[in-house]
Each structure stands twice: as C-alpha cells, then as structure tokens.
Amino acid sequence: MHEEGSMAVNYQPPLAYFLDEFPNGFDPASMLHGEKEVAIARVRALDIPVWLGKRDQSGAQRSRDKSFVRMQVLEVRSGSASVGKTYEVYFGDWNHEMIYPLTPDQLARDYFVVMYFDPTDGKQRLVGFPINSTQHRDWLAKRSEYWRSQHKR
C-alpha cells in the first residue's frame, strides 16, 4: 500500500536523551539554532520524567517538548553547567519515540547528557541521540515489566 511505503520513508529512529556512555564525536558547534550554554555532563534524574502531552488536543497548544525532568549535575565534561546544581530540563521530539530513565534501577544510575539553554523560551533542553530498534525494544520490555510490577501491588 502507498501509506506503508510513505511510513517507511518518514521513519524517524527513537532517541535517547540519557546516555550510558560519553557522546564521543558530538560537536557543540553542530547546533546551529541559537542554542546557548551547551554542556556535556554526567547527571542523575531526580524523579520520573513528567509527560507534557494532554489527552485532548482539541484547540490546545501542544507543548514543544514531550517530557520534563529534574536532574542533578554530578560532573561537567565540557561547556557551562554547575556541579551539584539541580536543573529542570525539557526533552522529547513529538516525531520520535524516545527512551529515558523510568524504573528504580534506571533512576539510580548516572547518565551522560548534552544540555543547552534555549533563548527562544528560556528553557534548558536535552539533545536526543538516535538509537537502534534493539535498544528501543529492550527499553520497552523493561518499561512493561516495571508497569506490570506496579499493578501487582
């Protein structure tokens, strides 16, 4: 069918905003949209990200970002960020699936992020990095297992 073919053409890989490894090869100069204060840091999410979408989108302005989370900076590898500071960051592109810390095990771990200050609205945002379908499936399985464990209580 035509629709299936167009879906394949428009496929957008899932994105990870919290990385297990330092993002080697990332060039902050590649960000050409006026982003300021780009930093690569090791962080820990302080709670489960909050989804910013609404059930009823009729007439409502949809948030630019899918999610919001508070995170603490543990180490700065490059750029401007403050160690020990808590940042409120926004992330998630509506055209991509994404993975993020959700389970207690995931929230207890440190991650690398690329964050920046967006002068258009004054918010801190995270940069997403494409992941493969295996990584996405593994995360979906862990999410499902976590949700099932929550409903058994």
Side-chain angles (χ1 to χ4, degrees):
M1 296 190 109
H2 182 300
E3 288 181 27
E4 288 179 32
S6 65
M7 284 178 66
V9 170
N10 294 327
Y11 172 76
Q12 298 288 331
L15 298 176
Y17 292 86
F18 293 82
L19 309 171
D20 292 327
E21 298 177 8
F22 185 81
N24 287 319
F26 174 76
D27 179 8
S30 67
M31 300 179 67
L32 303 174
H33 304 289
E35 294 87 350
K36 306 283 186 207
E37 302 170 25
V38 178
I40 300 174
R42 189 170 54 86
V43 303
R44 181 166 296 167
L46 297 177
D47 36 46
I48 294 172
V50 175
W51 187 61
L52 299 174
K54 297 189 175 22
R55 289 180 187 259
D56 178 18
Q57 294 295 332
S58 61
Q61 176 85 15
R62 180 163 68 175
S63 170
R64 171 179 162 186
D65 309 283
K66 277 186 176 180
S67 295
F68 160 87
V69 71
R70 288 177 34 249
M71 64 181 199
Q72 184 174 36
V73 172
L74 305 173
E75 174 186 5
V76 178
R77 291 285 184 97
S78 74
S80 56
S82 299
V83 173
K85 182 176 177 180
T86 297
Y87 288 85
E88 297 178 346
V89 295
Y90 293 79
F91 65 99
D93 179 333
W94 289 101
N95 297 320
H96 294 264
E97 292 294 318
M98 63 181 187
I99 67 172
Y100 49 86
L102 174 68
T103 69
D105 288 347
Q106 292 166 342
L107 289 167
R109 293 181 29 220
D110 299 350
Y111 296 92
F112 287 100
V113 299
V114 175
M115 58 188 252
Y116 64 93
F117 177 76
D118 187 337
T120 61
D121 60 8
K123 292 182 179 178
Q124 291 286 146
R125 288 205 162 75
L126 299 179
V127 175
F129 292 86
I131 59 169
N132 63 45
S133 57
T134 301
Q135 291 169 301
H136 189 232
R137 267 195 311 273
D138 289 349
W139 181 83
L140 289 172
K142 288 175 185 164
R143 181 184 71 177
S144 295
E145 180 181 323
Y146 172 68
W147 284 349
R148 278 193 303 275
S149 73
Q150 296 302 296
H151 293 294
K152 289 180 183 177
R153 294 179 178 192

